[in-house]
Amino acid sequence: MADVFLSYKRDDEAAAARVVRALRAGGLSVWWDQDIPPAAPWEATIEHELEGAKAVIVAWSRASAASENVKAEARRARHKGKLIQVFIEPCDPPLFFGEHQGLKLAGWTGEAQDIRFQMLLTAVRAVIDGKPPPSGVGFAPRKAPRWRWWAVFAAIVALVMVFLIVGELVALNPPAKSPARAVLTARAALLAKVAGVWGLPAEAGRPACQARFAYSVERRGPDDAIRLRGLGVDSVGKVVSAEGGSIFTRTITPASQAGSQWELRLEGDRLIQVDAANVSTTLVKCAG
């Protein structure tokens, strides 16, 4: 089993082959789908190698950014804390994979001494050794175990219960104003600020809000929920907490992401979205 797994789209085979050859020449064991034996089960072999690799490189291009298989492999690697991102051509990464966070290898023809490849080699070796790689390679550390999220959730629930109990006690004294009511009012105001249309900020060659996402606040039984729609994404997250400028949600739909924790954080006129792997995406408010 190889230490490095390369995820790419078959359209980019020539560029992917250059990465494989250079990494192997640098002394690393690398696996890609060209190594699957003719009689081996395709999906099972890929999943086995993906799980066993210590580092996973995803080669983003317009073709791979649209590939569900590549995105699924990248999500699995990011969840495990072993994803390194490279851009073999200028393109926008898929939603929630950061804003061009990764090594730019567009135009690289395979020279081992190229500073960009040397940065990639250093990053891969660090991840294999269980160390944080240099910044700028689209790396996200392994997310905290699920029990930690439940611990945070339990603490938040306990805090809310305290507010509610205090509110009931204060309500017995008519002149006093209920703290619980103030908390609920602040919560509603924070949720209202998130509702609307947000988009990616302007970059070279791309105006702001070219890619848009609509956030709406809904009621799901006794709970508040936030729905996100845009670019083929339609997800709903139950609001776990909403205070101090941050909203934490737990995904309800789609089922493949159920239970994952997200944060929406308002910073001035910007919305910072942090996914379950602690990767943040900055959005700006869009008109209409």
Side-chain angles (χ1 to χ4, degrees), residues 120-235:
L120 174 61
L121 195 61
T122 299
V124 172
R125 286 171 174 165
V127 173
I128 290 175
D129 291 339
K131 301 175 182 178
S135 61
V137 296
F139 174 78
R142 185 184 180 93
K143 69 176 184 178
R146 187 175 296 275
W147 66 265
R148 292 188 182 178
W149 290 115
W150 281 109
V152 173
F153 175 67
I156 292 173
V157 170
L159 180 62
V160 171
M161 291 300 296
V162 169
F163 275 119
L164 291 176
I165 292 172
V166 172
E168 291 296 327
L169 292 175
V170 175
L172 297 176
N173 183 5
K177 184 178 179 180
S178 170
R181 183 176 297 276
V183 170
L184 294 175
T185 300
R187 172 192 175 98
L190 180 57
L191 294 177
K193 289 180 181 180
V194 171
V197 180
W198 299 80
L200 295 177
E203 282 192 357
R206 185 190 70 195
C209 292
Q210 187 176 53
R212 296 181 171 214
F213 312 98
Y215 288 86
S216 59
V217 180
E218 304 177 355
R219 289 293 294 181
R220 296 289 177 112
D223 302 312
D224 290 316
I226 293 181
R227 186 174 186 180
L228 166 65
R229 286 172 288 183
L231 293 185
V233 175
D234 190 346
S235 65

Side-chain angles (χ1 to χ4, degrees), residues 44-58:
T45 301
I46 290 177
E47 184 173 0
H48 176 73
E49 294 292 339
L50 179 62
E51 287 298 313
K54 296 178 181 178
V56 176
I57 300 172
V58 61

Side-chain angles (χ1 to χ4, degrees), residues 13-161:
E13 183 175 339
R18 286 194 289 270
V19 175
V20 172
R21 286 195 299 268
L23 289 174
R24 286 174 175 172
L28 297 177
S29 59
V30 184
W31 188 93
W32 63 329
D33 62 8
Q34 298 295 321
D35 296 324
I36 300 178
W42 184 271
E43 292 185 0
T45 301
I46 290 177
E47 184 173 0
H48 176 73
E49 294 292 339
L50 179 62
E51 287 298 313
K54 296 178 181 178
V56 176
I57 300 172
V58 61
W60 290 128
S61 67
R62 287 185 293 272
S64 63
S67 168
E68 292 303 322
N69 288 339
V70 175
K71 288 188 285 187
E73 291 167 357
R75 282 193 296 268
R76 180 76 65 87
R78 188 180 62 185
H79 177 77
K80 297 289 186 178
K82 56 186 181 181
L83 175 66
I84 296 173
Q85 303 183 88
V86 300
F87 290 85
I88 56 178
E89 71 175 15
C91 67
D92 289 327
L95 184 64
F96 307 141
F97 277 93
E99 300 165 10
H100 299 277
Q101 297 179 12
L103 289 166
K104 307 297 192 297
L105 290 184
W108 178 63
T109 56
E111 297 87 350
Q113 298 308 313
D114 189 300
I115 185 62
R116 296 172 296 176
F117 174 73
Q118 289 299 313
M119 290 179 62
L120 174 61
L121 195 61
T122 299
V124 172
R125 286 171 174 165
V127 173
I128 290 175
D129 291 339
K131 301 175 182 178
S135 61
V137 296
F139 174 78
R142 185 184 180 93
K143 69 176 184 178
R146 187 175 296 275
W147 66 265
R148 292 188 182 178
W149 290 115
W150 281 109
V152 173
F153 175 67
I156 292 173
V157 170
L159 180 62
V160 171
M161 291 300 296

